[in-house]
Amino acid sequence: MCGRYASARSVQDLAVAFGIREDHVESTLAADWNVAPTKPISAVLDRGAGPVLTSVRWGLVPSWADDPSIGARLINARLETAWEKPAFRDALSQRRCLIPADGWYEWAARPDGSRQPYFLTRDDGELLAFAGLWDVWRDAEGRLLPTATVLTGEAPSDLRDVHDRAPVVMPRETWAQWLDRRSGEDDVRAVLRPTSAGVVQPRPVGPAVGDVRANGPQLVEPVAVTEQPPLF
Protein backbone atom coordinates (compact mmCIF):
# COMPACT_ATOMS: atom_id res chain seq x y z
CA MET A 1 0.00 0.00 0.00
CA CYS A 2 0.94 3.66 -0.05
CA GLY A 3 0.03 5.35 3.21
CA ARG A 4 2.53 8.19 3.46
CA TYR A 5 4.50 10.19 0.90
CA ALA A 6 6.31 13.47 0.28
CA SER A 7 5.23 16.20 -2.14
CA ALA A 8 7.56 19.13 -1.71
CA ARG A 9 7.57 20.90 -5.11
CA SER A 10 6.14 24.37 -5.45
CA VAL A 11 2.88 24.85 -7.32
CA GLN A 12 4.82 26.70 -10.02
CA ASP A 13 7.28 23.82 -10.44
CA LEU A 14 4.44 21.32 -10.68
CA ALA A 15 2.67 23.39 -13.31
CA VAL A 16 5.82 23.47 -15.42
CA ALA A 17 6.48 19.75 -14.97
CA PHE A 18 2.97 18.81 -16.14
CA GLY A 19 2.67 21.51 -18.80
CA ILE A 20 -0.31 23.20 -17.17
CA ARG A 21 -1.39 26.69 -18.21
CA GLU A 22 -1.28 29.41 -15.59
CA ASP A 23 -5.06 29.88 -15.70
CA HIS A 24 -5.50 26.14 -15.01
CA VAL A 25 -3.59 26.23 -11.71
CA GLU A 26 -6.02 26.04 -8.78
CA SER A 27 -3.86 24.53 -6.05
CA THR A 28 -2.14 26.72 -3.46
CA LEU A 29 -0.76 23.90 -1.32
CA ALA A 30 2.62 24.31 0.34
CA ALA A 31 5.37 21.69 0.44
CA ASP A 32 4.48 18.67 2.56
CA TRP A 33 7.17 16.15 3.48
CA ASN A 34 4.76 13.92 5.37
CA VAL A 35 1.51 13.58 3.43
CA ALA A 36 -0.93 11.37 5.33
CA PRO A 37 -4.45 10.10 4.57
CA THR A 38 -7.28 12.69 4.66
CA LYS A 39 -4.82 15.56 4.11
CA PRO A 40 -5.30 17.87 1.12
CA ILE A 41 -3.03 16.85 -1.75
CA SER A 42 -2.15 18.17 -5.19
CA ALA A 43 -3.59 16.36 -8.20
CA VAL A 44 -3.48 16.82 -11.95
CA LEU A 45 -6.79 15.95 -13.62
CA ASP A 46 -8.88 16.77 -16.66
CA ARG A 47 -12.53 17.82 -16.27
CA GLY A 48 -12.93 18.18 -20.03
CA ALA A 49 -11.13 21.43 -20.82
CA GLY A 50 -7.54 20.32 -20.45
CA PRO A 51 -5.41 19.35 -17.43
CA VAL A 52 -5.65 21.40 -14.24
CA LEU A 53 -3.53 21.38 -11.10
CA THR A 54 -5.91 21.34 -8.17
CA SER A 55 -6.17 20.11 -4.59
CA VAL A 56 -8.26 17.19 -3.35
CA ARG A 57 -8.53 15.24 -0.11
CA TRP A 58 -6.61 11.97 0.04
CA GLY A 59 -9.07 9.12 0.44
CA LEU A 60 -11.67 8.57 -2.25
CA VAL A 61 -15.29 9.32 -1.33
CA PRO A 62 -17.53 8.02 -4.14
CA SER A 63 -20.29 10.41 -5.17
CA TRP A 64 -22.91 7.87 -4.02
CA ALA A 65 -21.48 7.42 -0.50
CA ASP A 66 -23.75 8.18 2.46
CA ASP A 67 -21.01 10.09 4.28
CA PRO A 68 -17.34 10.98 3.73
CA SER A 69 -15.93 8.69 6.44
CA ILE A 70 -15.46 5.94 3.82
CA GLY A 71 -12.58 7.96 2.37
CA ALA A 72 -10.21 7.01 5.19
CA ARG A 73 -10.50 3.39 4.02
CA LEU A 74 -10.08 4.17 0.31
CA ILE A 75 -6.64 5.81 0.19
CA ASN A 76 -5.45 3.07 -2.20
CA ALA A 77 -7.02 1.11 -5.06
CA ARG A 78 -5.51 -2.17 -6.22
CA LEU A 79 -4.96 -2.09 -9.97
CA GLU A 80 -5.71 -5.82 -10.15
CA THR A 81 -9.32 -5.35 -8.95
CA ALA A 82 -10.16 -1.65 -9.50
CA TRP A 83 -12.19 -2.35 -12.66
CA GLU A 84 -14.57 -4.57 -10.65
CA LYS A 85 -14.93 -2.49 -7.49
CA PRO A 86 -18.01 -0.19 -7.34
CA ALA A 87 -16.00 2.50 -5.56
CA PHE A 88 -13.42 2.69 -8.36
CA ARG A 89 -14.73 1.39 -11.70
CA ASP A 90 -16.51 4.56 -12.83
CA ALA A 91 -13.57 6.74 -11.80
CA LEU A 92 -11.19 4.43 -13.65
CA SER A 93 -13.25 4.95 -16.80
CA GLN A 94 -13.77 8.72 -16.55
CA ARG A 95 -11.92 10.35 -13.64
CA ARG A 96 -8.23 9.48 -13.69
CA CYS A 97 -5.58 11.76 -12.25
CA LEU A 98 -1.87 12.06 -11.56
CA ILE A 99 -0.64 12.68 -8.04
CA PRO A 100 2.75 14.43 -7.87
CA ALA A 101 5.26 13.06 -5.37
CA ASP A 102 8.95 13.19 -4.56
CA GLY A 103 8.82 9.71 -3.07
CA TRP A 104 6.91 7.58 -0.60
CA TYR A 105 7.56 5.97 2.76
CA GLU A 106 7.36 2.31 3.71
CA TRP A 107 8.21 0.46 6.91
CA ALA A 108 10.14 -2.82 6.69
CA ALA A 109 10.02 -5.39 9.49
CA ARG A 110 13.24 -6.03 11.38
CA PRO A 111 14.22 -9.31 13.10
CA ASP A 112 13.42 -7.90 16.56
CA GLY A 113 9.88 -7.01 15.51
CA SER A 114 10.51 -3.28 15.12
CA ARG A 115 10.03 -1.50 11.81
CA GLN A 116 12.58 0.52 9.85
CA PRO A 117 11.16 3.40 7.75
CA TYR A 118 12.43 3.88 4.20
CA PHE A 119 11.97 6.69 1.73
CA LEU A 120 11.62 5.44 -1.84
CA THR A 121 12.64 8.02 -4.41
CA ARG A 122 14.52 8.56 -7.64
CA ASP A 123 18.29 8.88 -7.47
CA ASP A 124 18.20 11.76 -9.95
CA GLY A 125 15.66 13.75 -7.94
CA GLU A 126 13.09 13.77 -10.75
CA LEU A 127 9.41 14.10 -9.98
CA LEU A 128 7.19 11.03 -9.63
CA ALA A 129 3.57 10.87 -10.77
CA PHE A 130 1.34 8.30 -9.08
CA ALA A 131 -1.67 6.96 -10.96
CA GLY A 132 -4.78 8.14 -9.16
CA LEU A 133 -8.56 8.24 -9.37
CA TRP A 134 -10.78 11.13 -8.29
CA ASP A 135 -14.40 11.82 -7.49
CA VAL A 136 -16.54 14.59 -5.99
CA TRP A 137 -18.91 14.04 -3.07
CA ARG A 138 -21.69 16.48 -2.21
CA ASP A 139 -23.05 16.93 1.34
CA ALA A 140 -26.65 17.73 2.33
CA GLU A 141 -25.99 21.47 2.00
CA GLY A 142 -24.58 21.05 -1.50
CA ARG A 143 -20.94 21.61 -0.52
CA LEU A 144 -18.47 19.75 -2.72
CA LEU A 145 -15.65 17.52 -1.48
CA PRO A 146 -13.18 16.46 -4.19
CA THR A 147 -11.17 13.38 -3.21
CA ALA A 148 -8.67 10.95 -4.72
CA THR A 149 -7.04 7.57 -4.23
CA VAL A 150 -3.63 6.18 -5.25
CA LEU A 151 -3.52 3.06 -7.42
CA THR A 152 -1.13 0.37 -6.24
CA GLY A 153 0.31 -2.79 -7.75
CA GLU A 154 2.81 -5.49 -6.91
CA ALA A 155 6.15 -4.02 -5.90
CA PRO A 156 9.01 -4.57 -8.35
CA SER A 157 11.60 -7.17 -7.45
CA ASP A 158 14.11 -4.61 -6.15
CA LEU A 159 11.64 -3.24 -3.56
CA ARG A 160 10.09 -6.42 -2.18
CA ASP A 161 12.46 -6.55 0.79
CA VAL A 162 10.79 -3.30 1.89
CA HIS A 163 7.16 -3.98 0.93
CA ASP A 164 5.20 -6.22 -1.43
CA ARG A 165 3.04 -3.36 -2.79
CA ALA A 166 3.94 -0.04 -4.39
CA PRO A 167 2.09 2.93 -5.86
CA VAL A 168 1.81 2.85 -9.63
CA VAL A 169 4.41 5.33 -10.90
CA MET A 170 3.41 6.51 -14.36
CA PRO A 171 6.20 7.06 -16.91
CA ARG A 172 6.10 10.57 -18.37
CA GLU A 173 5.23 9.27 -21.84
CA THR A 174 1.96 7.79 -20.48
CA TRP A 175 0.68 10.90 -18.68
CA ALA A 176 -1.37 12.31 -21.55
CA GLN A 177 -3.06 9.00 -22.40
CA TRP A 178 -3.84 8.34 -18.74
CA LEU A 179 -5.47 11.75 -18.23
CA ASP A 180 -7.33 11.82 -21.56
CA ARG A 181 -11.04 11.32 -20.84
CA ARG A 182 -11.45 9.90 -24.36
CA SER A 183 -9.17 6.95 -23.58
CA GLY A 184 -11.10 3.70 -23.67
CA GLU A 185 -10.60 0.72 -21.38
CA ASP A 186 -8.01 -0.84 -23.67
CA ASP A 187 -6.05 2.43 -23.77
CA VAL A 188 -6.16 2.70 -19.98
CA ARG A 189 -5.14 -0.90 -19.41
CA ALA A 190 -2.24 -0.43 -21.83
CA VAL A 191 -0.61 2.19 -19.58
CA LEU A 192 -1.76 1.01 -16.15
CA ARG A 193 1.12 -1.24 -15.16
CA PRO A 194 2.89 -1.95 -11.86
CA THR A 195 5.94 0.19 -11.18
CA SER A 196 9.01 -1.15 -12.94
CA ALA A 197 12.25 -2.17 -11.26
CA GLY A 198 14.89 0.53 -11.11
CA VAL A 199 12.47 3.48 -11.00
CA VAL A 200 13.10 4.31 -7.35
CA GLN A 201 15.62 3.31 -4.71
CA PRO A 202 14.87 2.84 -1.01
CA ARG A 203 16.96 4.63 1.58
CA PRO A 204 16.57 4.24 5.34
CA VAL A 205 15.35 7.32 7.19
CA GLY A 206 14.75 8.19 10.82
CA PRO A 207 11.67 7.30 12.88
CA ALA A 208 10.34 10.88 13.04
CA VAL A 209 8.24 10.33 9.91
CA GLY A 210 6.03 8.00 11.92
CA ASP A 211 4.52 11.05 13.62
CA VAL A 212 2.01 12.64 11.23
CA ARG A 213 2.68 16.00 12.88
CA ALA A 214 6.35 15.92 11.84
CA ASN A 215 7.31 17.74 8.65
CA GLY A 216 10.28 19.16 6.82
CA PRO A 217 13.12 17.96 4.58
CA GLN A 218 14.92 16.36 7.51
CA LEU A 219 12.42 13.51 7.32
CA VAL A 220 13.97 12.21 4.09
CA GLU A 221 17.60 12.49 5.18
CA PRO A 222 19.26 9.05 5.01
CA VAL A 223 20.40 7.39 8.22
CA ALA A 224 22.78 4.53 8.92
CA VAL A 225 21.11 1.22 9.74
CA THR A 226 22.85 -1.32 11.94
CA GLU A 227 22.31 -4.86 10.80
CA GLN A 228 20.60 -6.97 13.44
CA PRO A 229 21.54 -10.61 14.01
CA PRO A 230 18.74 -13.17 13.62
CA LEU A 231 16.75 -13.76 16.80
CA PHE A 232 17.05 -17.54 16.49
Side-chain angles (χ1 to χ4, degrees), residues 169-190:
V169 177
M170 303 293 288
R172 185 178 292 269
E173 62 271 17
T174 67
W175 291 1
Q177 185 167 323
W178 174 252
L179 292 177
D180 192 340
R181 294 162 61 92
R182 298 168 298 180
S183 294
E185 182 174 336
D186 289 345
D187 299 319
V188 173
R189 288 184 182 273

Side-chain angles (χ1 to χ4, degrees), residues 1 62 84 105 107 130 140 150 162 175 180 193 206 215 218 223 229:
M1 65 178 293
E84 288 76 45
Y105 300 98
W107 281 257
F130 299 156
V150 175
V162 177
W175 291 1
D180 192 340
R193 302 284 187 223
N215 219 308
Q218 73 278 3
V223 299

Side-chain angles (χ1 to χ4, degrees), residues 13 31 42 52-53 65 83 88 107 109 124 127 129 143 154 168 178 181 184 207 225:
D13 286 347
S42 292
V52 299
L53 176 63
W83 286 104
F88 304 131
W107 281 257
D124 60 9
L127 180 71
R143 292 172 296 196
E154 288 189 2
V168 174
W178 174 252
R181 294 162 61 92
V225 174

Side-chain angles (χ1 to χ4, degrees), residues 154-167:
E154 288 189 2
S157 57
D158 56 346
L159 300 182
R160 287 178 193 155
D161 286 345
V162 177
H163 203 280
D164 62 353
R165 304 288 296 178

